Amino acid sequence: MDEFEELFNYHWQGEGSPYEQLSEKQWNILKAALKIFLEKGYSATTTNEIAHAAGVAEGTIFRHFKTKKDILLATIIPLMQNLVGPGVSGSLQELLVENEDLPLEEVFLIIMEDRQKHVQRILPLLRVIWVESNYHPELKEALMNGVILPSKKFFLRFIEQRQERGELRQDMDSWVLARSLVGVFAFYLISLSLFPDTGERQQNREAIKGIIQIYLDGARSSRE
């Protein structure tokens, strides 16, 4: 499980972990399940596969977790609360505060490059979260409350501040401006997953700069 060790260590080590009371069998089941979920997707994973990977009988799984969905929630929700959420909203807030005096283009470039690194680091996990949130309201709620809403709060305030400075259009709703940029960049990240480029940092940076410029051509205040 070396490929997934960073996820496990980041979340489950340290005082206060929600899994510190788990038995070794329960822990092995969750690790095995997460590994297969990330490799194959939740729907394509069977409890028999999880049992085999965990080194237990399939019946043992159901003595600890009533359904496969319970296993999904027991792995993904804590990771969203303790890895994805803080990694997204926490670092975003830090970046916005640290670079609040920089020109708009530079701040956007810093944020986008940082977000891209974070997304690529946990991309398999994000795929599972995104897909399964459409089918499981518990995951959707955790995604909204733990990731999207905290990030929205910080980024929206940043957009409003730049509107107040006259750097962005004041005749448009701040959330429309924020969501437009997020949408354009999200599509760029999806396109990288579907059509990988050479991966060279300079080419990637120029592509992001192009996205920022296209966005600002419509979003920038005419006073600029």
Side-chain angles (χ1 to χ4, degrees), residues 91-108:
S91 57
L92 176 60
Q93 183 181 21
E94 291 175 2
L95 288 174
L96 293 176
V97 171
E98 291 172 0
N99 301 287
E100 62 181 352
D101 295 326
L102 291 179
L104 199 54
E105 291 94 334
E106 292 184 32
V107 179
F108 282 153

Side-chain angles (χ1 to χ4, degrees), residues 87-158:
V88 172
S89 60
S91 57
L92 176 60
Q93 183 181 21
E94 291 175 2
L95 288 174
L96 293 176
V97 171
E98 291 172 0
N99 301 287
E100 62 181 352
D101 295 326
L102 291 179
L104 199 54
E105 291 94 334
E106 292 184 32
V107 179
F108 282 153
L109 181 60
I110 291 170
I111 291 173
M112 287 184 166
E113 288 189 317
D114 179 80
R115 298 299 81 188
Q116 183 177 354
K117 290 178 184 177
H118 186 64
V119 166
Q120 290 176 334
R121 185 167 66 94
I122 58 173
L123 185 58
L125 176 61
L126 292 178
R127 286 196 187 107
V128 173
I129 291 173
W130 181 254
V131 171
E132 299 308 324
S133 292
N134 292 293
Y135 301 102
H136 304 290
E138 300 92 337
L139 289 183
K140 188 172 185 178
E141 182 180 1
L143 177 62
M144 287 297 298
N145 293 333
V147 182
I148 295 177
L149 292 181
S151 301
K152 175 183 175 181
K153 174 184 175 182
F154 302 131
F155 191 57
L156 195 57
R157 181 57 188 149
F158 167 76

Side-chain angles (χ1 to χ4, degrees), residues 31-51:
K31 286 196 295 184
L34 181 60
K35 180 179 186 296
I36 302 173
F37 290 160
L38 298 189
E39 289 177 338
K40 298 181 59 175
Y42 169 75
S43 298
T45 300
T46 67
T47 53
N48 184 58
E49 288 175 309
I50 295 172

Side-chain angles (χ1 to χ4, degrees), residues 145-183:
N145 293 333
V147 182
I148 295 177
L149 292 181
S151 301
K152 175 183 175 181
K153 174 184 175 182
F154 302 131
F155 191 57
L156 195 57
R157 181 57 188 149
F158 167 76
I159 294 294
E160 291 170 349
Q161 289 173 339
R162 295 297 173 141
Q163 285 181 297
E164 292 167 2
R165 296 182 190 179
E167 295 177 282
L168 291 173
R169 292 174 57 174
Q170 298 176 339
D171 63 334
M172 295 188 70
D173 181 78
S174 57
W175 177 228
V176 172
L177 290 172
R179 187 168 56 184
S180 298
L181 179 60
V182 171

